[in-house]
Amino acid sequence: APQAWARGLTKVYGSGETAVTALDGIDVDFASGRFTAIMGPSGSGKSTLMHCMAGLDRVTSGRAVVDGHEIGRMNQRNLTKLRRTHLGFIFQSFNLIPTLTAEENITLPLDIARRPVDRAWFDEVVETVGLRDRLRHRPDELSGGQQQRVACARALVSKPAVIFADEPTGNLDSHSATEVLSFLRRSVEQLGQTVVMVTHDPRAASYAHRVLFLADGRLAADLREPTHDAIL
Ligand code: ADP
Ligand code: ADP
């Protein structure tokens, strides 16, 4: 079974005359070991789809299932727990703690959950991210690209079923963006992660194995192994 999937996923904001249908019956599978980009014009439902799949937003109807858990129907307490243990998040703003070293930032989610750090896995992640000689540095001693790679490592280290990335390269110059995206693709392939990334940048999306296009809350296109030209 895919790591995450949706059937008839529908999200309506508000009610009555002011109701907005942000998602209109989405069917989609996110397989493990795959890096998927979600594109589409502003207001097409990209963030809503990601938020519903990540349990950050309630679904109105239909199903959103992550790692076998019916995320659309969980209570708040179980959702918080599931997010901590099964999901990883990478944001546009790196959200690193400035007073902690790169290593401390990477292990923070595990420390908060009082879970042990699997050192072999930690080493593999740090190696893949290319941060071995930066672990003792604090965020302000790292470049933007390196800070976002710390955030990627932090998302990976608890071995989440799915990692959600929201415009992860939105604050990066093109060199750093390339570095982060090629890392994400490599880690998906080497470590078998499932990554779902929302972006409006075709260059960023060209690093994904697959690109979904949304339009008015529906799936408008589904490209496998997209070429740069196909996305543009
Ligand atoms: P995208 O991420 O593609 O820009 P969104 O998922 O943010 O699109 O929005 C999809 C639609 O849902 C838009 O029409 C937007 O105005 C609406 N929407 C999003 N969030 C809310 C909200 N909290 N309340 C009301 N409408 C919302
Ligand atoms: P990257 O290619 O990783 O984005 P840059 O080209 O921006 O990095 O920076 C090159 C080198 O300069 C990196 O090895 C990085 O450690 C260092 N560096 C970048 N920004 C800073 C900073 N604000 N403070 C200290 N060192 C930095």
Side-chain angles (χ1 to χ4, degrees):
Q3 283 287 11
W5 52 270
R7 289 294 175 276
L9 183 57
T10 299
K11 174 68 182 182
V12 179
Y13 289 106
S15 61
E17 282 180 14
T18 57
V20 174
T21 303
L23 296 178
D24 191 6
I26 300 277
D27 296 327
V28 67
D29 292 340
F30 298 104
S32 58
R34 305 290 283 170
F35 178 13
T36 302
I38 301 174
M39 296 194 75
S42 177
S44 59
K46 303 182 295 295
S47 309
T48 303
L49 176 58
M50 186 161 96
H51 289 165
C52 286
M53 294 305 300
L56 297 167
D57 225 343
R58 288 295 181 179
V59 313
T60 304
S61 63
R63 306 181 67 191
V65 175
V66 175
D67 202 25
H69 298 270
E70 190 85 47
I71 206 154
R73 288 189 179 69
M74 275 184 162
N75 65 34
Q76 201 55 48
R77 192 161 162 268
N78 288 339
L79 263 182
T80 304
K81 203 170 147 199
L82 185 81
R83 277 204 298 271
R84 278 201 188 137
T85 53
H86 290 67
L87 307 182
F89 293 92
I90 303 168
F91 301 100
Q92 180 167 350
S93 53
F94 319 130
N95 288 353
L96 302 178
I97 310 284
T99 53
L100 299 181
T101 64
E103 174 161 2
E104 289 162 347
N105 268 287
I106 292 169
T107 59
L108 188 64
L110 290 172
D111 295 340
I112 289 173
R114 302 215 178 117
R115 288 166 63 202
V117 177
D118 175 341
R119 291 319 296 194
W121 175 252
F122 175 88
D123 288 344
E124 195 177 340
V125 168
V126 165
E127 190 64 40
T128 312
V129 195
L131 287 172
R132 181 172 295 294
D133 58 354
R134 289 288 181 275
L135 289 177
R136 308 256 171 271
H137 291 58
R138 287 182 215 289
D140 69 355
E141 299 166 330
L142 299 170
S143 69
Q146 291 171 334
Q147 289 182 57
Q148 191 58 307
R149 282 185 283 146
V150 171
C152 291
R154 180 183 56 191
L156 283 160
V157 81
S158 54
K159 300 183 196 170
V162 184
I163 293 173
F164 295 97
D166 195 354
E167 296 282 3
T169 55
N171 280 328
L172 298 177
D173 59 65
S174 68
H175 166 80
S176 304
T178 301
E179 175 191 272
V180 166
L181 292 163
S182 46
F183 157 71
L184 269 180
R185 177 157 178 134
R186 206 164 57 240
S187 68
V188 162
E189 288 170 352
Q190 288 178 10
L191 309 173
Q193 300 292 313
T194 304
V195 175
V196 178
M197 169 178 76
V198 165
T199 185
H200 58 243
D201 177 3
R203 277 198 49 196
S206 69
Y207 283 82
H209 295 114
R210 177 185 181 197
V211 184
L212 300 175
F213 288 87
L214 290 185
D216 293 329
R218 296 179 190 216
L219 273 188
D222 184 349
L223 293 179
R224 311 281 171 143
E225 297 301 342
T227 62
H228 195 205
D229 289 349
I231 300 171
L232 289 170

